[in-house]
Amino acid sequence: FEEVLLPVWHELMHQTGFGQRSQWLFYDAFLRARVLQRLQLARLSGEQKILLAAFPEQCRELELLVAGLLLGGDSGAVQVVAVGQPLEELPLLCQAIQPHVLVLFAPAPPNASGLQQLRKLALAVDCPVALAGLGADLVEEQLKGSPIASLGGKTQLMQQRLRQFINGNLDT
């Protein structure tokens, strides 16, 4: 996904010629359906509940779904929250779902007020909170000493750090 399908998806998304938007929409719908199907199959066999939400206004649905698929790997079930979910309401979802960990996906670095919201969220939920994606890499220094773990932006690193975080072996 990261090396082949998403780069083509990004390239098609930015083309403006006649018919190219329709081509991108078709490709986007096809990929979202396939990724969602794989996430649902993984959720049936997964033991750990990982709740994944997008940092507000930072990514499209396909990017979040692919992040969920890559984060879950073979070991855990990832439940992806709809894009547009307000951060303030995530404690309600966490209370109902009771995940092992809440992961926020940020393809771009959160601004200062976004980081403040993230810190408030970490105090309001009953599960550990982590930030994943390129944005996590870019604000890693600002997260040091906070209860929020940075999982990074590269797939293998995210999976490894997530496993460590769930097992209590990742220092935040």
Side-chain angles (χ1 to χ4, degrees):
F1 275 100
E2 285 181 305
E3 296 172 11
V4 178
L5 298 176
L6 280 181
V8 171
W9 180 80
H10 278 286
E11 185 179 316
L12 289 174
M13 180 173 57
H14 297 293
Q15 293 182 354
T16 57
F18 182 77
Q20 290 177 326
R21 184 69 176 171
S22 295
Q23 183 181 14
W24 178 80
L25 288 168
F26 177 79
Y27 188 56
D28 178 65
F30 173 79
L31 288 178
R32 279 186 292 125
R34 295 295 165 238
V35 172
L36 193 55
Q37 185 178 45
R38 287 188 58 192
L39 275 170
Q40 288 171 339
L41 289 172
R43 194 169 25 178
L44 294 174
S45 63
E47 299 168 9
Q48 301 167 336
K49 284 187 199 172
I50 300 164
L51 190 61
L52 177 66
F55 211 82
E57 301 176 20
Q58 284 204 358
C59 74
R60 296 185 177 266
E61 184 182 19
L62 179 62
E63 293 170 310
L64 183 63
L65 292 173
V66 169
L69 190 61
L70 296 174
L71 265 177
D74 298 329
S75 60
V78 176
Q79 186 168 351
V80 180
V81 177
V83 171
Q85 173 67 44
L87 286 182
E88 307 84 46
E89 295 177 15
L90 282 174
L92 296 173
L93 284 177
C94 288
Q95 186 178 20
I97 297 170
Q98 297 181 350
H100 285 91
V101 64
L102 170 63
V103 178
L104 286 144
F105 181 68
N111 58 24
S113 67
L115 286 173
Q116 186 64 27
Q117 280 184 301
L118 188 57
R119 287 185 180 99
K120 285 181 185 177
L121 175 66
L123 297 174
V125 295
D126 291 332
C127 63
V129 177
L131 188 64
L134 182 60
D137 278 339
L138 299 174
V139 296
E140 191 166 355
E141 285 298 315
Q142 295 168 326
L143 294 177
K144 285 195 188 239
S146 77
I148 303 150
S150 173
L151 302 181
K154 303 224 183 307
T155 302
Q156 292 176 338
L157 181 63
M158 285 192 303
Q159 289 174 341
Q160 177 187 6
R161 284 185 176 177
L162 180 62
R163 280 191 302 273
Q164 289 175 334
F165 190 51
I166 290 172
N167 294 331
N169 299 328
L170 182 66
D171 186 21
T172 59

